[in-house]
Amino acid sequence: MTNQFDRKIAELARGSKAWPFDEARKLIKRLERLPEKPETVIFETGYGPSGLPHIGTFGEVARTTMVRHAFRTLTQDKWPTRLICFSDDMDGLRKVPGNVPEREMMSEHLDEPLTRVPDPYGTHDSFGAHNNARLMDFLDTFGFEYEFLSATQCYRSGRFDETLLNILGHYDKVMDVILPTLGEARRATYSPFLPVCPRTGKVLQVPMTARDRQAGTITYTDPETGEDITTPVTGGRVKCQWKVDWAMRWVALGVDYEMAGKDLIDSVRLSGAIARILGARPPEGFSYELFLDETGEKISKSRGNGLTIEEWLTYASPESLFLYMFASPRKAKRLYFDVIPKAVDEYLTHLAKFPSLEAEARLASPVWHIHQGEPPQAELPISFSLLLNLVSASNSEDAGVLWGFIQRYAPGATPEDHPLLDHLVGYAIRYFHDFVKPNKKYRAPDERERAALAELNEKLKGLPEGASGEDIQTLVYEVGKTHEFEPLRDWFRALYEVLLGQSQGPRFGNFVELYGVSETRDLIERVLKGEDLSAG
């Protein structure tokens, strides 16, 4: 982009109400207040690799990337920026996740750092390394620009040493922040530092019996041997407790922006207080709402409920997942298989509308943020939901057969000329096979519905060749009104339940245009003869 183009976009972005620009403006105000301006603006996302990566993890990276791009747009790249994806892989394994193999083996390594626990999958040196690799592979698939940091490497390399000594020097003040938030029993044993036992390698949760600021050491009693152990707080010999660790990371890495889930609001506040004690200003950020599974429960890495990254990408495009993350980040949303078709079609709708938008409106469009200001051009003659119903009605999971229907609807369209549409065909087949087909439930029409279907069949017969979806839709409406369906949506629901074995679908006229008038009449005639459409 040229500087002139940047300036025009930046001017429009200053007034944009899109939430990434709101966040970017907050960050700019933070930088303006700092007495010393940073050479590089640091964005961070955190990841706890105690379980396999899930979509919530991806969402944080995706949303932070959107804020980073909005910031770069507003500032015209005045500041270099970096996005750090930080893995807290030195955390001790407190319980064995329920969705991994070799659980008995892993139970023998409780309390050891995740990068010391053997990999139950047998592909990496440790469980932490395995999960880190899964995360990075996925982020690389999406083309995120990020720098991956491992807590284990940062602690052991000495990168955190200066800040760890700073915490030791402010030990009492840090304790004054944390202790009031704990119960009586926990207060008696709490310490900001978790020593790594040199004998067992376990991350110990033990109280400190002494500390030496000058020497940079702490002393604790080995809970198994009763021996007093003195250890430096540097060089990876200790790990900080969670809230202290978060603040330490902000200070040591110079983090300017990090978002977090709503369930961590109190943690953000406490970590911010500790960062100030250490002489730093906490980063900007906002609290996003949580993702829920199909039962309304919070998604958990260790439980493995809700959708995995791989599952979404089996049934839908990466861009649809970006859209899901962009929309209403402060609203709790269900993250389960039934949200996928809607997300796909909403993405396609925004993409189709983008070229016709005025410049200011483009900055509010999700696809501008998804594609970092340069959405691709795409011509898609049919929607994803329409494709799903085509698969459902044809009972065919052959992409070639489906393209035959598509080419009738859009003459000249080919998989080569419409690669995005070809991908959608594959997604629709897989989604239908796994989620629609097992739940299809046809029913017989009642007396009024049979009469309406019979009339619809006759009217479809009289349509001229090449009738448009709009003409067909008008005809369907007229039949429904003639047979006094009230509300009229009951008529369309009957069509879907009787002919497709489902309670809803896309605009029926467009479906008939795509599937074919004669093919639709064949379905109706089979129903009127009493045939079981579920038999294929």
Side-chain angles (χ1 to χ4, degrees), residues 50 114 178 187 189 210 252 273 303 337 345 393 396 425 463 483 494:
S50 57
L114 296 169
I178 298 296
R187 285 199 300 269
T189 62
R303 290 175 56 198
F337 294 103
D345 276 338
S396 174
V425 169
L463 281 174
H483 290 266

Side-chain angles (χ1 to χ4, degrees), residues 295-313:
T295 65
E297 295 186 29
K298 174 189 170 184
I299 285 178
S300 164
K301 291 189 297 292
S302 59
R303 290 175 56 198
N305 59 331
L307 277 173
T308 66
I309 295 165
E310 291 82 1
E311 285 170 336
W312 185 291
L313 296 183

Side-chain angles (χ1 to χ4, degrees), residues 379-394:
E379 294 182 9
L380 291 166
I382 59 177
S383 68
F384 187 61
S385 58
L386 199 54
L387 271 178
L388 281 174
N389 281 274
L390 175 60
V391 180
S392 181
S394 65

Side-chain angles (χ1 to χ4, degrees), residues 231-449:
T231 185
V233 298
T234 55
R237 296 176 181 87
V238 305
K239 182 193 182 300
C240 287
Q241 293 269 13
W242 151 234
K243 297 178 181 68
V244 181
D245 186 271
W246 205 5
M248 183 274 299
R249 187 196 315 163
W250 289 342
V251 176
L253 301 178
V255 177
D256 295 293
Y257 186 90
E258 180 166 7
M259 60 179 63
K262 187 178 180 179
D263 56 334
L264 296 179
I265 288 177
D266 287 341
S267 297
V268 171
R269 178 178 57 81
L270 292 173
S271 296
I274 295 169
R276 290 186 180 91
I277 290 171
L278 301 179
R281 185 182 180 91
E284 290 297 323
F286 80 102
S287 297
Y288 56 82
E289 266 289 1
L290 305 179
F291 295 108
L292 311 175
D293 66 13
E294 75 276 20
T295 65
E297 295 186 29
K298 174 189 170 184
I299 285 178
S300 164
K301 291 189 297 292
S302 59
R303 290 175 56 198
N305 59 331
L307 277 173
T308 66
I309 295 165
E310 291 82 1
E311 285 170 336
W312 185 291
L313 296 183
T314 298
Y315 307 109
S317 64
E319 294 81 7
S320 66
L321 180 53
F322 269 100
L323 177 71
Y324 190 81
M325 296 303 165
F326 176 87
S328 306
R330 288 188 172 88
K331 179 180 178 182
K333 294 186 289 186
R334 290 176 64 255
L335 188 53
Y336 203 62
F337 294 103
D338 58 1
V339 308
I340 291 177
K342 181 180 179 183
V344 174
D345 276 338
E346 286 183 349
Y347 167 75
L348 297 176
T349 298
H350 285 295
L351 193 63
K353 289 180 177 179
F354 187 82
S356 64
L357 297 177
E358 298 293 334
E360 185 174 357
R362 288 185 173 191
L363 296 182
S365 171
V367 295
W368 189 92
H369 297 273
I370 291 169
H371 294 285
Q372 302 209 4
E374 298 180 354
Q377 291 185 341
E379 294 182 9
L380 291 166
I382 59 177
S383 68
F384 187 61
S385 58
L386 199 54
L387 271 178
L388 281 174
N389 281 274
L390 175 60
V391 180
S392 181
S394 65
N395 280 309
S396 174
E397 297 178 36
D398 185 322
V401 171
L402 298 177
W403 266 102
F405 285 107
I406 293 170
Q407 288 164 344
R408 176 192 299 169
Y409 184 82
T414 65
E416 293 75 23
D417 294 337
H418 292 77
L420 178 55
L421 180 55
D422 195 39
H423 286 308
L424 290 178
V425 169
Y427 293 136
I429 290 172
R430 290 191 288 274
Y431 191 91
F432 167 78
H433 182 271
D434 291 347
F435 300 108
V436 179
K437 188 176 181 179
N439 296 308
K440 285 172 72 71
K441 188 176 181 180
Y442 292 90
R443 69 171 177 82
D446 61 26
E447 184 176 341
R448 180 175 59 158
E449 291 165 349

Side-chain angles (χ1 to χ4, degrees), residues 89-94 110-116 151-152 155-156 164 191-206 208 218-223 229-241 245:
D89 57 16
M90 196 171 165
D91 195 18
L93 179 67
R94 301 307 176 194
L110 290 175
D111 297 322
E112 294 180 19
L114 296 169
T115 45
R116 180 184 170 100
T152 300
Y155 272 100
R156 291 178 180 173
L164 290 166
S191 167
F193 299 108
L194 302 173
V196 179
C197 179
R199 182 175 54 83
T200 65
K202 293 184 176 181
V203 181
L204 303 177
Q205 300 191 61
V206 292
M208 302 298 100
I218 55 173
T219 301
Y220 65 94
T221 301
D222 188 310
I229 306 295
T230 298
T231 185
V233 298
T234 55
R237 296 176 181 87
V238 305
K239 182 193 182 300
C240 287
Q241 293 269 13
D245 186 271

